Amino acid sequence: ISFFIFRVCLYTYMAVLIYRTQEGFFTIPMLNRCLFLVGYLGGAGLQYFWFAKILRGAYKALTSSTPKSHAAERPPAAARESHTGKALLATEPTATSKEGDATSGEKD
């Protein structure tokens, strides 16, 4: 809600104020006016772009029927297979975790 109020509403309100004070705006040198307008319009475009993305994400999250928890899911067995075709089990040690291996942290 604060993004909408401070970024979308106030940014648009400032554009209205700038339009209302055209006389004062045109007293600024041309280069400064152009740089200001490019920066302001670019910033406004970004504000509206991100607000649209926030709305889409909120709509998707609120209308989703089932929450998705990817952290608790395990990959299917086919994804756990090594390149040799043998399935890796969580209890089997791999070549780098055997006792006495240089990668196990023991010194000879």
Side-chain angles (χ1 to χ4, degrees), residues 7-54:
R7 299 284 184 108
V8 176
C9 293
L10 289 180
Y11 225 81
T12 306
Y13 176 70
M14 289 306 296
V16 170
L17 285 180
I18 292 169
Y19 180 76
R20 285 186 178 175
T21 59
Q22 289 181 31
E23 301 83 31
F25 184 70
F26 286 115
T27 61
I28 300 171
M30 177 62 94
L31 178 63
N32 292 359
R33 276 186 294 190
C34 290
L35 290 174
F36 173 78
L37 287 175
V38 166
Y40 190 83
L41 294 176
L46 286 173
Q47 306 305 327
Y48 300 137
F49 171 77
W50 284 112
F51 184 65
K53 284 199 145 308
I54 290 169

Side-chain angles (χ1 to χ4, degrees), residues 78-91:
R80 291 190 306 258
E81 290 183 7
S82 69
H83 67 281
T84 60
K86 293 176 17 178
L88 296 175
L89 299 177
T91 58

